Amino acid sequence: MISTTSYTSESLIIEGGFKLKGKVRISGSKNASLPIIMSTLLTKETCHIEDVPDLLDVKNSVELLRLLGAQVIQGPNFLTIDASKVNSYIAPDYLVRRMRASVLAMGPLLARFKKAVVAMPGGCSIGVRAIDQHLKVFEKAGAHIKVQHGYIHLELKDIKPVEYTFEVVTVTGTENALMFLSMCEKRSILRNIAIEPEVMDLIEVLRKMGASIQVEGRTAIIRGCSELGGFTHRVIPDRIEAGTFLVAGFMTKGDIELENVRVDHLGSVIEKLKEAGAHIEVYGTDRIRVYSKGNGIKPLSISTSEYPGFPTDMQAQFMAMCCLADGWSDITENIFENRFQHVAELKRMGADIYVKGRTAFIRGVEKLTGAEVFSTDLRASASLVLAGLVAEGKTIVRDIYHLDRGYERLDEKLRNLGALIERKASYE
């Protein structure tokens, strides 16, 4: 069953120095699951989603759907959703603040009910992620938009076809627009779209529902339906979880094999790991082995960018790895303006890092030492866990509710690979 537990008062206690060895199955993608869950609002037919990860963000999405009137059946990593009786188009503030992806309800609700009221989004503290690009698409389609008391109110008579070029590449903006326009029968064109694997997985779902969507480069041509159908779909594996385990295997001088991966989604991550000295073997399309021959970690120069470039969601994990590299590394963050909050926590563990503008410069040190550190966002949490796995002594990672938003039973999976890691209430 998908858990309903809240982890706001828990910490991870890690004893460093153990090599990770064995096999680990990668969960379904968080960032693919959330928009697919929201897409069920577009249809009155039943939808079945498989390999849904057991995460707080999924729990919050299910809570929102139920609040709107949908019936949701939960099983071991699957959801069956019937949104035929949805009778509300209001996404309340307390839910949207918990999870920024709640804003993805806006497009489906507006398309289906011609009205939507959604609280201004919250989420991680990694920077201002404006939704102006979402709203510009809706406005071009004929929506009247006003903001009152922290809520965005949208209303339209009929969906007009849209031709729009995104001013910046935006994943959630692309997803919201695609879901919305899938109920417009006339042809729409979106340019400069995001083409992340999670976006393409949503497109596959929308096609199953009856929409015609053609993608050429960063241009999408959409011809929707006034009545979309249900679907059955298996979510793609989580490429960020896979990347995190690849880094963990190499950092700990271990030898692990990842199952249920999409090798074709990991190109830039695999390339940088090989550059750092990792040995990687690929078996078919869905298994990867990573191991170290004990030759150390070579320094790296990394610049984050939109897919297929190096993912911003792997920046923090690679920074933890570079803390032990033989020389200077540099990491430039081009996607979010406030995503180096983990630097201060890594420095508490003995890392040598300084930040200038959007670039962090990391001088590799001989060792990290255990410390009490605090999670600031989802991927920063993962970087601190990785640092704890290789640090001398005990590391306590506080506020791990961030981690539980995006990693399914990470501590359990690491323990099965040989890590000495346990979860405790923060007051213990």
Side-chain angles (χ1 to χ4, degrees), residues 183-201:
M183 291 194 75
C184 178
E185 295 181 88
K186 296 182 179 179
R187 189 182 75 159
S188 293
I189 301 174
L190 297 174
R191 297 187 177 88
N192 199 31
I193 65 168
I195 55 171
E196 271 70 2
E198 298 79 16
V199 175
M200 303 309 292
D201 207 31

Side-chain angles (χ1 to χ4, degrees), residues 180-358:
F180 172 69
L181 294 172
S182 289
M183 291 194 75
C184 178
E185 295 181 88
K186 296 182 179 179
R187 189 182 75 159
S188 293
I189 301 174
L190 297 174
R191 297 187 177 88
N192 199 31
I193 65 168
I195 55 171
E196 271 70 2
E198 298 79 16
V199 175
M200 303 309 292
D201 207 31
L202 173 64
I203 288 174
E204 182 62 26
V205 166
L206 295 173
R207 287 170 175 161
K208 289 180 179 180
M209 297 176 80
S212 170
I213 304 176
Q214 296 174 291
V215 178
E216 297 177 5
R218 290 195 179 273
T219 298
I221 301 171
I222 309 105
R223 194 181 293 273
C225 304
S226 58
E227 295 286 337
L228 293 170
F231 63 86
T232 295
H233 186 76
R234 179 176 291 277
V235 175
I236 58 172
D238 196 306
R239 64 191 173 104
I240 305 303
E241 183 191 2
T244 302
F245 273 99
L246 288 173
V247 172
F250 178 52
M251 275 183 73
T252 62
K253 300 180 180 178
D255 186 345
I256 64 174
E257 183 179 317
L258 280 57
E259 300 174 331
N260 189 46
V261 298
R262 280 283 299 268
V263 175
D264 57 327
H265 293 167
L266 293 165
S268 60
V269 170
I270 290 173
E271 180 184 331
K272 283 297 178 184
L273 276 168
K274 286 181 175 178
E275 191 178 324
H279 292 263
I280 292 178
E281 296 176 2
V282 173
Y283 307 107
T285 60
D286 62 353
R287 288 190 300 137
I288 302 177
R289 177 189 174 200
V290 60
Y291 60 99
S292 168
K293 289 187 176 179
N295 297 326
I297 300 170
K298 298 175 183 175
L300 296 173
S301 181
I302 292 173
S303 183
T304 65
S305 63
E306 297 85 1
Y307 188 85
F310 189 88
T312 178
D313 280 352
M314 285 301 304
Q315 174 257 108
Q317 298 91 311
F318 268 75
M319 184 179 293
M321 182 181 76
C322 289
C323 288
L324 295 175
D326 183 18
W328 283 93
S329 298
D330 59 271
I331 300 177
T332 300
E333 175 55 62
N334 296 304
I335 307 299
F336 297 122
E337 72 278 4
N338 193 26
R339 209 167 196 180
F340 284 146
Q341 295 179 72
H342 47 283
V343 168
E345 302 305 303
L346 289 171
K347 289 173 77 170
R348 289 168 63 89
M349 301 178 71
D352 186 352
I353 308 169
Y354 77 91
V355 177
K356 185 176 182 180
R358 285 183 171 267

Side-chain angles (χ1 to χ4, degrees), residues 82-103:
D82 177 359
S84 61
K85 295 180 181 177
V86 166
N87 54 13
S88 173
Y89 50 83
I90 301 172
D93 178 76
Y94 76 91
L95 270 178
V96 178
R97 279 185 180 275
R98 277 191 223 161
M99 182 189 64
R100 187 183 185 278
S102 300
V103 76

Side-chain angles (χ1 to χ4, degrees), residues 404-422:
D404 292 318
R405 286 184 45 238
Y407 288 93
E408 182 178 38
R409 295 188 291 275
L410 180 64
D411 51 323
E412 178 184 320
K413 290 181 177 182
L414 288 170
R415 203 158 42 244
N416 290 339
L417 293 170
L420 193 57
I421 180 172
E422 60 179 323

Side-chain angles (χ1 to χ4, degrees), residues 10 26 39 44 47 54 57 64 87 104 107 123 144 183 233 247 265 275 284 299 327 349 357 360 367 381:
E10 293 186 324
I26 299 305
S39 75
K44 296 179 181 179
C47 304
D54 181 0
D57 275 5
L64 174 57
N87 54 13
L104 289 168
H144 297 283
M183 291 194 75
H233 186 76
V247 172
H265 293 167
E275 191 178 324
M349 301 178 71
K367 67 177 181 179
S381 305

Side-chain angles (χ1 to χ4, degrees), residues 386-400:
L386 293 179
L389 291 174
V390 296
E392 183 180 89
K394 183 169 70 174
T395 297
I396 303 173
V397 183
R398 304 286 192 191
D399 297 340
I400 60 166

